[in-house]
Amino acid sequence: PTVAANVPGLRDSVLEGTSGRLYPYGDIPRLAEILFQLCTNPFELKRLSNGAVEWASSFSWDDEARILLKLCQQTIETARIHR
């Protein structure tokens, strides 16, 4: 599982309570608490680990490449229209 600060970008890649845990940015005591919980609770660690694998398997490089290619094509078309 992932433990990450609850900030843009990071929070988009973690499903809170499913694939990992989020903590408020800069809240080191909360980060320590979450890490301690994961290190001392093997059942929670396993549950989040399984969730992380399931979440990650919903993505594919091929799909992401198609999305990026489409975005690039749209950007090029938009630039042509505004010339």
Side-chain angles (χ1 to χ4, degrees):
T2 300
V3 177
N6 191 358
V7 297
L10 296 180
R11 72 172 148 245
D12 300 324
S13 61
V14 178
L15 285 178
E16 169 60 35
T18 299
S19 68
R21 300 295 308 277
L22 296 169
Y23 67 93
Y25 176 79
D27 190 343
I28 303 308
R30 181 67 180 133
L31 170 60
E33 180 183 331
I34 291 170
L35 293 174
F36 181 78
Q37 290 171 352
L38 291 177
C39 289
T40 59
N41 186 337
F43 299 107
E44 181 67 358
L45 180 63
K46 181 68 173 168
R47 185 184 74 76
L48 289 174
S49 294
N50 290 339
V53 170
E54 185 176 331
W55 172 244
S57 69
S58 70
F59 299 97
S60 86
W61 285 111
D62 290 339
D63 290 343
E64 298 307 313
R66 278 190 282 277
I67 291 168
L68 181 59
L69 179 59
K70 184 176 179 179
L71 180 61
C72 289
Q73 289 168 334
Q74 290 171 343
T75 302
I76 291 168
E77 286 303 314
T78 300
R80 286 184 184 150
I81 292 170
H82 292 99
R83 279 188 179 177

